[in-house]
Amino acid sequence: MRGLWAAGLLLRRLRTELAMIALLYLIVAMTSFVFAAAPRLLNRVFDDALGYAAQIARPADRNLALTLDSMIIPGSSGGIGGVRAYGDDLVGRLPGSVSGLASERVDRITSVRFYVAQPPSYETDVSLRYQDGFTEATQLVEGRWPIDHGMPISVVMPGRGSGDSEPTEPAEPSIVEVAFSTDAAAEIGVEVGDRLAMKLDGSDPLLRNLGFGLLAPTEFEVTGLYAPVDPEASYWTDDTELLQVTQHGEPDHPVAYATAYFAPEAYPSLWASGLPFHFEWRLQVDPLLLNGDQVAQLQVDLRRLGFVTGVAGPGSREQVTILTGLPRILERYAAERALSESVLSIAAIGPFGLAGGAVAIVAILLVRQRRPALTLARGRGASGLLLLGTQLWEAIVLAGGAALVGLLAATTLVVARASPLSPILAMAVGLLAIVIMMGASWSIARKPLGTLERDDPAVLRVPPRRLVLELTIVAVAAGATLLLRGRGLNVEATDGLARADPLLASVPVLGGLAAGIVTVRLYPLPIRALGWLAARRRDFVPVLGLRTIGRHPAAANLPILMLMLTAAFGAFASVVASSVDRGQVDASYLKLGADFRVDAVGLGALAPASDPAAIPGVDAVADGYVDTSAPFASTPSQRGSIYLDVIDAQAYEQVVAETAAAPRWPSAFLADPAGAAIGTAENPIPAILSVTRPFGSVELSAGATFGMTVNGHPMTFQLVEARQTFPGTRERAAFAVVPLAWVQAALAEQPLAPTVLWVRASGDAAAGVAEVFPESRGVVHIVSRYDAFAAIHEAPLGAAIGTGYGIALVLAAMYMAFTIVGALVLSAARRTRDLAYLRTLGVSARQALALTVIEQAAPVLLAIVPGVALGIGVAILCEPGLGLATFVGTSGVPLSVDWGAIGLIGLALAAVVAAAVILGTWLSRRARLADALRVGDD
């Protein structure tokens, strides 16, 4: 009976602790929601990233094409029914993971190549083709669509005649109706109604080693001309042979390769000739059908696929080849996904650790406030086992229920593909909260009754067991930080991908925890010194506040630890997010070399309609001359080529001043041309060369000379500096950069016309820049750095890094706020009692507020500034191992500290503490003096 009475006493206390219970419930529910929602959000991000990777790839790369060179019988239904049935059988043999990606299938049949016996224009080869959806994607401009005449093509095979006589040929030629595009017809000189006498082109790969001889008289009759309904439609992507003629041969002897459309009903007549065909069954992969969970199985199935075999004709077996770039897309995506998971794991561990700290602080302080009641229950017969059982029941109801609520909210509110990790993480949060709550009650439930009334031990009197544990944490944090810097965040997993090491991913949290432990153990020394100095003053508020911290170490230690963790993680997250964002901006500058780059196609000169510098929003313009394959020779016998940039050095410096593309010119580039015979061996032109040189180059050191040809004029240059990269050139490409003023001086009689402009302008100036070249549309290529940045910044995986760290920073601040507010609310009873005593001695409300401020100022000063410094230091130490370059697009990502954001973090943390102080003071004032002085009445 006494045990039941004690349990009832503990349960009745819940009615008087609604604020504390609500705070604990809110923290657990919010944490469960965050960690149950995180896998679902990551699924959405990874699905979007996979779809994005497939969408930006060329359709020919992401689609699957099953190809076969053979002869497939038309089938009983005629037309191309046999070809479709054969394709159905092939697709049916594909793994379900592969065939399920296809939104539609396009069947295509291409004949051998023929040549026109008497071409209207110049030598012309023609192939016949049918493909699904063609008549819907085009419109007839003239004539009609081809039909089948039922006249099979005959092929005269060598040795088919009797004896030595020549085989007989039919009196009338076979007619095959075809249609050409308007562009192709204009190029090869044909019109509707023309008949073209055709011969077999023996150089066609389909005819090699097959022994085909002469083609019986055959004519292609042009019955119609067509044009595409939408030339930009995806139907024509990477497949314009039915629209345009391709040029082959030599410049003085061109050959036109044209493709004509034939009716599917004509296939049996063409098949009767015995000529082979090239068959394609193209599966159009829909990026929206891809999701991250398919990747592993898809990679396995695509590797096993290799080729498919099928019966192509009576008694023959042919090999069907599958052409696709999907494995490369998936491999690149899987590697980037693994790296993003690694970097985001740091953002996840930070809030999780802070959430555990918040729950621990609230649970410890909750048990501390219950200490009188627990002591009373122990004194009246309640066993330690009963107290722990009651606490376990309460923890299961509160923490378990809150975890389930968080899981339900995440499942309902976050619309994304489900993840098995969501319930696991939600239950892990609930279990962690239960363990923490039980651990907070353990010492009171298991201590002997005689020691329960003792005050907290002094801060410096640390039990040896705890001291060893704390020193171990500090040592592990230091070792993990050094290991992360040296080895990197990722380790190679069994699937060959880089995965995050959990220990290394927790470095920011471990660093903050270790620094907090050191601070907590050392801060009593300055507090005692300040208390000794404050005792010399006549007022009592400072000395009383400092001594209160000393008498109640947990009230100061726990906020210090949480503030330190939050400040360190917040600073680390801010540095990583700002570094990624700044790195993406730098990458866009390095890719283009300016805000806008205007290039003339080939080596044609730019002819702007007006002065680009007069465009609103344009700040500076530099012109230059670019030759993508300028002749280069480091020795008289070398015949190499190099990417040549001839730049107006002074103007370009103004264009890219204070950006990542700032050129840092050698002094020779900024000097005016001097001397006679510029560009000769006696007076060479200064040049910057890439470290990578054209094939056959000899070693060139500073001061060495070499030759290049600029616009047909051989010149001599002198190496003044070698560089790995230069803005606007590809990485690891061979390039040369020379000053425009020197080259113009060498070509005084025939100055270079600019072929490129670099423009410094705001994003709003894009339309104005494009309007400067209206008469050169189609010849001028204008690229915007702002578009390049958007492409990098909006890529799903790269955007997830900045968003993930931003969310983690907000969550860290919220957990810290919960912790500080909870600590003040839970210690409000003690503060109210102390202030009640002081009010009877005449302490004013202003002095009471000052006392509270002094109690909280020390944790703030001892945690925020060192915590921020620690977070920045950890980011600097760990940057080489984070692998941020994958999400930036450059080989290196220099750390960028946004001091404005860091200052905002510090102010926000200080504001949270200030709000907590105000709330705690308000709660203390609400209590009546008589109630506060009733000590021990529960």
Side-chain angles (χ1 to χ4, degrees):
M1 291 297 295
R2 287 185 297 178
L4 294 176
W5 171 88
L9 175 64
L10 293 176
L11 296 177
R12 283 197 300 270
R13 286 193 56 83
L14 294 178
R15 293 178 300 176
T16 63
E17 299 169 345
L18 290 180
M20 296 175 286
I21 298 301
L23 181 62
L24 183 63
Y25 192 92
L26 179 61
I27 293 175
V28 176
M30 186 183 77
T31 306
S32 174
F33 171 80
V34 169
F35 285 92
R40 299 173 66 91
L41 289 175
L42 283 178
N43 280 345
R44 181 191 297 178
V45 170
F46 292 149
D47 292 349
D48 292 344
L50 181 56
Y52 178 80
Q55 193 167 9
I56 63 175
R58 296 188 311 120
D61 288 337
R62 69 168 179 260
N63 295 335
L64 288 89
L66 287 76
T67 66
L68 172 67
D69 296 337
S70 183
M71 296 171 287
I72 300 178
I73 59 177
S76 58
S77 60
I80 61 171
V83 177
R84 293 197 188 283
Y86 192 90
D88 293 340
D89 178 64
L90 289 178
V91 174
R93 300 184 187 188
L94 296 177
S97 63
V98 177
S99 60
L101 300 177
S103 59
E104 60 178 324
R105 192 181 94 195
V106 175
D107 294 352
R108 191 163 80 166
I109 305 172
T110 305
S111 73
V112 298
R113 197 164 57 236
F114 305 86
Y115 70 89
V116 182
Q118 297 179 344
S121 179
Y122 58 96
E123 185 174 344
T124 302
D125 285 12
V126 178
S127 298
L128 302 179
R129 176 173 296 172
Y130 164 81
Q131 68 183 42
D132 292 340
F134 177 79
T135 55
E136 290 77 14
T138 56
Q139 56 185 352
L140 273 173
V141 176
E142 184 180 353
R144 60 175 176 79
W145 290 114
I147 60 174
D148 178 34
H149 283 289
M151 301 174 62
I153 296 178
S154 298
V155 177
V156 180
M157 303 293 295
R160 280 189 179 179
S162 58
D164 295 331
S165 62
E166 292 291 334
T168 59
E169 297 183 359
E172 294 293 330
S174 299
I175 305 298
V176 179
E177 293 190 356
V178 298
F180 285 99
S181 71
T182 53
D183 291 344
E187 177 67 25
I188 64 177
V190 299
E191 298 177 349
V192 172
D194 288 350
R195 286 193 176 187
L196 306 176
M198 309 303 296
K199 300 293 184 180
L200 279 178
D201 183 357
S203 64
D204 191 324
L206 288 174
L207 296 177
R208 292 176 184 172
N209 303 322
L210 293 182
F212 284 96
L214 304 174
L215 177 68
T218 302
E219 295 181 352
F220 289 175
E221 180 178 357
V222 182
T223 64
L225 301 179
Y226 58 82
V229 175
D230 179 11
E232 304 299 326
S234 59
Y235 183 84
W236 305 109
T237 304
D238 298 325
D239 183 16
T240 58
E241 292 181 353
L242 278 166
L243 299 181
Q244 299 173 349
V245 171
T246 58
Q247 297 292 337
H248 294 263
E250 301 296 332
D252 56 347
H253 186 72
V255 179
Y257 279 21
T259 303
Y261 173 77
F262 75 92
E265 297 82 7
Y267 175 72
S269 300
L270 297 174
W271 172 82
S273 67
L275 291 171
F277 290 82
H278 179 72
F279 301 96
E280 290 183 69
W281 297 271
R282 294 190 168 191
L283 302 180
Q284 311 294 326
V285 172
D286 185 356
L288 297 179
L289 297 178
L290 291 165
N291 67 69
D293 282 351
Q294 295 174 316
V295 172
Q297 186 62 44
L298 268 176
Q299 288 181 304
V300 172
D301 291 341
L302 289 171
R303 281 194 295 266
R304 292 175 178 174
L305 207 55
F307 59 88
V308 179
T309 59
V311 177
S316 66
R317 296 187 64 84
E318 303 291 345
Q319 177 174 302
V320 177
T321 304
I322 296 181
L323 304 176
T324 179
L326 195 57
R328 290 189 298 273
I329 296 174
L330 296 178
E331 182 179 356
R332 185 167 55 251
Y333 160 79
E336 293 180 355
R337 170 176 173 169
L339 287 174
S340 65
E341 288 177 337
S342 300
V343 178
L344 287 173
S345 64
I346 299 178
I349 291 176
F352 189 77
L354 293 169
V359 173
I361 287 176
V362 175
I364 291 172
L365 294 178
L366 176 61
V367 172
R368 187 177 299 276
Q369 187 175 10
R370 290 179 174 179
R371 186 169 184 169
L374 294 174
T375 304
L376 179 62
R378 287 285 306 276
R380 294 185 178 181
S383 64
L385 185 61
L386 176 62
L387 295 181
L388 290 177
T390 306
Q391 186 65 31
L392 176 62
W393 179 87
E394 179 186 15
I396 292 175
V397 172
L398 291 178
L404 290 176
V405 168
L407 175 62
L408 180 61
T411 306
T412 305
L413 299 178
V414 180
V415 181
R417 183 164 49 87
S419 171
L421 284 177
S422 293
I424 294 175
L425 291 178
M427 292 301 101
V429 169
L431 181 62
L432 176 65
I434 293 172
V435 171
I436 290 175
M437 294 179 68
M438 291 296 297
S441 305
W442 182 267
S443 61
I444 296 179
R446 305 303 297 173
K447 271 187 178 182
L449 286 174
T451 61
L452 285 178
E453 294 299 331
R454 294 180 183 176
D455 294 333
D456 291 333
V459 180
L460 293 178
R461 297 176 184 174
V462 185
R465 195 173 295 175
R466 177 180 293 181
L467 183 60
V468 170
L469 177 62
E470 292 177 351
L471 290 176
T472 302
I473 293 175
V474 173
V476 169
T481 302
L482 296 177
L483 188 61
L484 175 60
R485 178 174 176 82
R487 194 185 71 180
L489 176 64
N490 304 308
V491 294
E492 187 172 343
T494 55
D495 56 3
L497 298 177
R499 305 289 183 185
D501 188 316
L503 173 63
L504 302 185
S506 62
V507 161
V509 175
L510 281 176
L513 180 60
I517 289 173
V518 173
T519 303
V520 164
R521 293 307 168 201
L522 296 181
Y523 93 95
L525 298 177
I527 292 295
R528 287 183 177 182
L530 291 175
W532 179 77
L533 293 175
R536 302 171 65 91
R537 295 168 54 93
R538 298 184 62 181
D539 55 340
F540 70 94
V541 172
V543 66
L544 183 60
L546 294 172
R547 289 183 177 178
T548 299
I549 298 176
R551 288 198 309 269
H552 302 281
N557 293 356
L558 298 178
I560 284 178
L561 191 58
M562 285 301 294
L563 276 172
M564 181 76 75
L565 284 171
T566 306
F569 179 77
F572 178 87
S574 174
V575 171
V576 171
S578 62
S579 297
V580 170
D581 190 68
R582 179 61 182 272
Q584 291 172 347
V585 173
D586 291 349
S588 65
Y589 270 112
L590 295 174
K591 182 177 181 180
L592 300 182
D595 290 329
F596 292 91
R597 177 172 174 142
V598 184
D599 284 281
V601 176
L603 289 178
L606 289 171
S610 59
D611 183 9
I615 301 173
V618 173
D619 298 324
V621 178
D623 58 0
Y625 173 90
V626 171
D627 187 348
T628 58
S629 58
F632 173 90
S634 59
T635 64
S637 60
Q638 184 182 5
R639 297 292 182 268
S641 62
I642 198 168
Y643 184 95
L644 174 62
D645 255 342
V646 184
I647 300 178
D648 185 343
Q650 295 182 353
Y652 185 74
E653 194 170 36
Q654 298 298 320
V655 170
V656 294
E658 300 178 357
T659 69
R664 304 182 307 279
W665 294 123
S667 58
F669 270 60
L670 300 177
D672 294 331
I678 296 175
T680 63
E682 292 75 20
N683 191 7
I685 300 172
I688 297 173
L689 272 183
S690 60
V691 175
T692 303
R693 310 284 167 75
F695 178 76
S697 298
V698 297
E699 184 67 24
L700 297 175
S701 57
T705 59
F706 58 92
M708 287 191 298
T709 301
V710 182
N711 198 23
H713 298 272
M715 298 182 186
T716 302
F717 298 84
Q718 184 178 45
L719 175 62
V720 296
E721 188 177 331
R723 296 186 179 181
Q724 290 282 354
T725 60
F726 189 81
T729 61
R730 292 175 290 117
E731 289 191 35
R732 295 182 294 275
F735 62 84
V737 182
V738 299
L740 177 63
W742 285 75
V743 175
Q744 295 289 37
L747 300 172
E749 298 180 357
Q750 296 179 340
L752 285 177
T755 64
V756 60
L757 292 179
W758 293 275
V759 182
R760 180 179 187 135
S762 62
D764 299 334
V769 173
E771 291 176 359
V772 172
F773 304 93
E775 76 282 359
S776 301
R777 186 171 301 170
V779 181
V780 173
H781 187 212
I782 302 175
V783 185
S784 168
R785 180 193 66 80
Y786 301 98
D787 293 338
F789 171 75
I792 300 173
H793 188 69
E794 295 175 4
L797 292 180
I801 300 300
T803 303
Y805 274 86
I807 294 174
L809 182 57
V810 171
L811 290 174
M814 291 177 62
Y815 284 127
M816 190 273 298
F818 284 143
T819 302
I820 300 299
V821 172
L824 287 173
V825 169
L826 296 177
S827 61
R830 175 193 57 79
R831 186 177 296 104
T832 300
R833 184 179 67 247
D834 293 344
L835 291 179
Y837 287 127
L838 295 175
R839 284 165 62 186
T840 61
L841 300 177
V843 173
S844 64
R846 179 177 298 180
Q847 289 175 318
L849 178 61
L851 184 61
T852 306
V853 170
I854 290 176
E855 290 180 11
Q856 300 301 322
V860 173
L861 294 176
L862 291 172
I864 293 180
V865 176
V868 168
L870 175 69
I872 296 175
V874 170
I876 294 174
L877 286 173
C878 300
E879 185 275 329
L882 293 179
L884 299 179
T886 303
F887 314 104
V888 171
T890 59
S891 56
V893 183
L895 284 183
S896 174
V897 181
D898 188 346
W899 293 109
I902 294 294
L904 187 61
I905 291 173
L907 290 176
L909 297 179
V912 169
V913 176
V917 169
I918 295 173
L919 177 61
T921 304
W922 176 74
L923 290 174
S924 300
R925 290 178 179 175
R926 286 188 61 200
R928 293 188 303 170
L929 185 61
D931 293 339
L933 296 176
R934 294 173 60 189
V935 181
D937 294 341
D938 295 308

